[in-house]
Structure formats: structure tokens, C-alpha cells
Amino acid sequence: MPTTRFAPSPTGLLHLGHAHSALFAFQQAKGGRFLLRIEDIDHTRCRPEFDAAALEDLHWLGLRWDPPVRRQSNHLDSYTIALQQLEADGLLYPCFCTRRDIEAEIARAGSAPQGPDGPVYPGVCRALDATTRAVWRQEGRPHAWRLAMDRAVARATQAAGPLRFYERSRGWVLAEPAVFGDVVLARKDIRTSYHLAVTLDDALQGVEVVTRGEDLLPATHIHRLLQALLKLPVPEWHHHGLIRDQTGRRLAKRDGARALADLRAQGLTAPEVRALAGFGEIDLNHSPSPSGAAQQPGDDSGGDR
Ligand code: GLU
């Protein structure tokens, strides 16, 4: 009876793809703990009204979760502590580059290796001399923190060899984070990143099976590395296929995929929407664990907001 979670970002209304992901996570908990986490570190894109709407939609869909809801924006300090640990271990460097600096450097070099998220960072600030770095930091120039990938992989594998992770529909997978290059672990504007926050939270919340769409499978390679560096417990993963529209494109908020709230307003019932999301037969009985009262939706009154 594992602990699973559904972790939406409140950057828009939930659509059928989210319903599929949430129901999938719930089903994988199989009577264990099912957690809800709101991934709202990006204050430039997340909005409280989408947070509230997500809870309402999930509740309407028939889902019940184990309180409290965790909101990442309440836990920025824990991400900072982990970042400081990685910095103290000599695995990070500050990156002062703007997007334009990076594009200019790639154009100058003529090419850059492609990683899963686009061109790999060309390493400009990695090569910065210590004095310039110190002066720029003293001046308060905005900077991100990047993981020095070569060093990080060397550190993580020196004792026990190559890292692997267990993916429930793929079996054992060799972790190959190096193809991402020096990833950003703390953005200039938000002091953390998706990779760092999600890895820490899954560990802090005792998540045993990380379920999410297969579009995030590449990110798992980075998360496995971070777990090794931060000495965190290693869960299993289960990446599900994505729901697509009639043209075969995956549903996305930005393309105006039909929101659950719209389907509801059109008169569809929750069982009908669950069936559209691929879970017509799911058993939604769930007794939240006794650690918190079941005050849904919109709970989080256990001091976690
Ligand atoms: N917050 C992410 C999203 O909405 C999902 C993160 C995860 O499940 O690891 O795409």
C-alpha cells in the first residue's frame, strides 16, 4: 500500500490530462496514502485562483486525498538548505547569463549539443575566474545556480557505480543525467527549480511511487542523481501515457484544452468525465490516514499554508 501523489502546477485550469494523471496516481496508491501537492514555486505563472479551482475540480471528480495539501511556496527554506548543501559540496556554480547571452554564445560556437530540454548550456559561467565571480556576486548581480554535471555524476557514482531507477512499466533504467548538461537548480527569480523542489518534496512526504506523465520521464534521470547527492530515499516511478486530442497532440493548458470546469458546466457528470479520462471503472473509496482531519476541499489548515 504505497504512498503516491498528484502534483499539479496552478498555472491554469485542470483538463482531462490532469484528471487522467490524478486518477492514475490515486489508483496506484491502492488504499495506501494519496497526497496532493500544489507545485507553485513559479510566482510569475501560478495563481491562487487556479490552486483553489484545482482542489475543487479534483473533489468534484470524486477524489479524496490525505491532508494536508502541501504547497511548495511554503517550503522555500527547505529548498535553500539543500542548495546550500550542494554548494558546500562544490557541486554548484552561480550563472549570471541571460537567455540572450546563452543564445549569443551558442551562435558564436556554431552549435551546441541538444539535451532533452533543448541546447545544452555552453558553460560560460562555469569557466568564470574566481575573482570575477566573487566581484559580481558582491555587486549583487542576479544569478541562477547550476549543477556542475560532470562533478555531480562523478561524486554520485564513485562509491556504488552507475545510478539506476526502477520504472514500473519499463523495469530498471540506467540514469543518464549527463545529457542535460549543467542544469539550473535555482532560477534567478525563484531561488529553486522544478527538479530540486520535486525531488526534495517527494522524499520529505515519503512518496514511494512517483506517478506522472511520460513527458517527465527524462527529468527522472536528474531526480535520481539529486537523490544520490542529497542522500534521499529512492522511490519507484510509474510514468503513464498522455491523453491526446483528435489530432494526436497532447493536451495542454496553453492550447486551451477543455477544462474540467467547462465539461462540468456543460452538464457532464463526474463518472462521465472519469470515463473520458480513461478511468470509468475506478473504485474511489478512500479513507484518509488519521494524521489529519478530512476537511476537503481547500484544507491545508494544518499549518502548511
Ligand atoms: N507539477 C508538474 C506538472 O504539473 C508535475 C510534477 C511531477 O509530477 O513530478 O507538470
Side-chain angles (χ1 to χ4, degrees):
M1 293 212 296
T3 298
T4 68
R5 50 55 165 194
F6 175 57
S9 301
T11 56
L13 292 171
L14 300 188
H15 54 60
L16 273 183
H18 296 105
H20 179 78
S21 210
L23 291 162
F24 183 88
F26 179 89
Q27 194 180 50
Q28 293 296 315
K30 294 190 187 83
R33 286 198 315 147
F34 173 60
L35 306 176
L36 178 61
R37 183 166 76 227
I38 301 293
E39 303 214 318
D40 59 350
I41 51 173
D42 187 349
H43 56 80
T44 64
R45 295 173 60 224
C46 295
R47 299 220 226 112
E49 58 270 32
F50 292 135
D51 174 335
L55 265 62
E56 199 183 318
D57 286 346
L58 294 169
H59 195 258
W60 174 80
L61 206 54
L63 283 166
R64 302 294 179 266
W65 50 86
D66 295 77
V69 177
R70 182 176 176 93
R71 289 188 172 75
Q72 291 189 322
S73 56
N74 291 333
H75 299 277
L76 295 175
D77 287 351
S78 43
Y79 312 136
T80 303
I81 291 168
L83 207 64
Q84 286 166 344
Q85 183 184 332
L86 293 171
E87 193 201 354
D89 288 345
L91 300 175
L92 300 182
Y93 63 89
C95 175
F96 303 87
C97 289
T98 61
R99 203 178 287 257
R100 196 174 288 187
D101 293 334
I102 297 173
E103 283 164 6
E105 175 57 22
I106 291 173
R108 198 194 57 75
S111 69
Q114 283 293 319
D117 286 343
V120 166
Y121 176 65
V124 184
C125 285
R126 185 181 191 148
L128 220 54
D129 65 87
T131 315
T132 311
R133 198 175 271 171
V135 170
W136 286 3
R137 284 190 71 184
Q138 228 163 24
E139 285 172 358
R141 283 203 196 193
H143 61 82
W145 285 102
R146 286 186 183 272
L147 187 66
M149 186 58 83
D150 301 355
R151 263 181 306 195
V153 170
R155 178 75 54 87
T157 55
Q158 72 193 7
L163 300 172
R164 299 188 305 158
F165 58 86
Y166 190 74
E167 212 290 336
R168 288 190 159 189
S169 56
R170 293 164 175 84
W172 284 102
V173 179
L174 182 67
E176 297 178 295
V179 291
F180 283 87
D182 294 352
V183 283
V184 169
L185 289 193
R187 274 170 42 171
K188 278 180 190 166
D189 52 347
I190 61 174
R191 291 164 42 211
T192 182
S193 61
Y194 161 65
H195 296 308
L196 186 64
V198 84
T199 304
L200 275 166
D201 279 347
D202 283 337
L204 292 170
Q205 292 190 282
V207 173
E208 290 156 319
V209 184
V210 174
T211 65
R212 58 187 172 208
E214 62 190 10
D215 53 327
L216 287 169
L217 177 59
T220 301
H221 294 254
I222 299 176
H223 303 173
R224 181 66 191 87
L225 172 63
L226 292 177
Q227 283 153 2
L229 296 173
L230 293 166
K231 304 191 171 43
L232 301 174
V234 181
E236 291 184 1
W237 282 265
H238 201 163
H239 297 85
H240 58 76
L242 303 177
I243 294 207
R244 298 182 184 275
D245 65 16
Q246 294 90 330
T247 66
R249 290 205 318 161
R250 84 180 168 92
L251 301 181
K253 291 174 198 162
R254 62 177 172 277
D255 300 329
R258 258 196 310 169
L260 299 182
D262 294 342
L263 298 173
R264 184 167 75 209
Q266 282 164 22
L268 270 77
T269 64
E272 284 167 345
V273 172
R274 291 200 297 267
L276 282 176
F279 286 91
E281 301 298 321
I282 193 168
D283 173 6
L284 287 170
N285 269 326
H286 185 65
S287 318
S289 58
S291 58
Q295 328 129 326
Q296 303 177 32
D299 51 3
D300 205 10
S301 50
D304 199 33
R305 173 142 208 164

